[in-house]
Amino acid sequence: MKHNISIAIDGPAASGKSTTAREVARRLGYIYIDTGAMYRAITRAALDAGVDMNDADALERVARSSKITLEIKEGQQHTFLNGRDVSGEIRTPEIDRNITPVATHPGVRRIMVEQQRQLAQNGGVVMDGRDIGTVVLPEAELKIFMEASIEARARRRLKEQANGDPSITLENIKADLARRDHADSTRADGPLKKAPDAVVIDTSNMSIEEQVETIVQLARERQQ
Ligand code: CDP
């Protein structure tokens, strides 16, 4: 008998988690939960409200009062903040620059982790982020830790974000990825860390199809 499992995918910025996780979920008929989009939406809400990014209490209030929903429409992932589709506004250099203080505050993380566990309570989920295998779903039947060289990750991000904007360069992106990797790995609460029982996949020289197939195979073995 097959049973629905939970799949946790963690790894550094732009390692290919979201694209891979979404497709794995589609093939397995599972729900995909992009926790990065949740932290990004809270950052959007905090910027819109003009909150001081060092004011932990104010950020926690923003996190508590924001309703975030994730939906897949025509194969595209959409993120809603209080009913407004913010998908186009959360993957920008402005959010990349401001997300670190938001994702570092333990109060904000507590609220996010609680919501993420609720979304996953019935299993049949693929969730990606930084702390999924270690904090959010430590009981997940399959844990993946996705890595890729900073060169490969920066090239991917440039392709996603540039759109002919000359201010977005490979060097700027590399600097932002290195800064966020460092901040994500060294924070006290929910740091980016490989769970001891995670399978490591280095995607530097892999295609999306290869990444997806590898994880789907592992998932099918563990669904038995
Ligand atoms: O797409 P990319 O890999 O650049 O980032 P993301 O997965 O959308 O996450 C953006 C930021 O949110 C990360 O740099 C983390 O600071 C934060 N994040 C987190 O702290 N915990 C998570 N579970 C997911 C994201």
Side-chain angles (χ1 to χ4, degrees), residues 13-14 35 40 91 99 109 130-131 157 180 184 187:
T35 66
R40 286 174 181 277
R91 301 210 176 271
I99 200 164
R109 299 201 72 81
R130 304 293 188 285
D131 56 343
R157 189 50 41 105
R180 272 196 298 135
D184 285 340
R187 68 170 166 248

Side-chain angles (χ1 to χ4, degrees), residues 98-204:
N98 287 286
I99 200 164
T100 297
V102 176
T104 302
H105 283 302
V108 173
R109 299 201 72 81
R110 202 169 42 242
I111 294 164
M112 293 292 102
V113 169
E114 211 172 278
Q115 292 183 7
Q116 290 155 10
R117 286 186 181 144
Q118 261 167 25
L119 290 168
Q121 65 188 351
N122 297 323
V125 293
V126 183
M127 191 180 280
D128 76 341
R130 304 293 188 285
D131 56 343
I132 312 305
T134 50
V135 175
V136 183
L137 303 175
E139 309 294 328
E141 288 89 343
L142 177 59
K143 298 179 186 176
I144 305 289
F145 195 81
M146 237 177 211
E147 295 178 333
S149 69
I150 190 153
E151 225 11 88
R153 294 190 282 127
R155 266 185 275 111
R156 288 177 192 158
R157 189 50 41 105
L158 183 67
K159 237 165 117 189
E160 277 170 21
Q161 282 189 347
N163 278 332
D165 179 345
S167 70
I168 302 181
T169 66
L170 192 69
E171 284 317 307
N172 289 348
I173 291 180
K174 253 198 206 169
D176 176 69
L177 292 181
R179 180 189 60 74
R180 272 196 298 135
D181 286 351
H182 179 73
D184 285 340
S185 311
T186 52
R187 68 170 166 248
D189 196 22
L192 166 66
K193 201 166 91 188
K194 184 184 101 55
D197 51 347
V199 178
V200 178
I201 302 181
D202 186 326
T203 68
S204 307

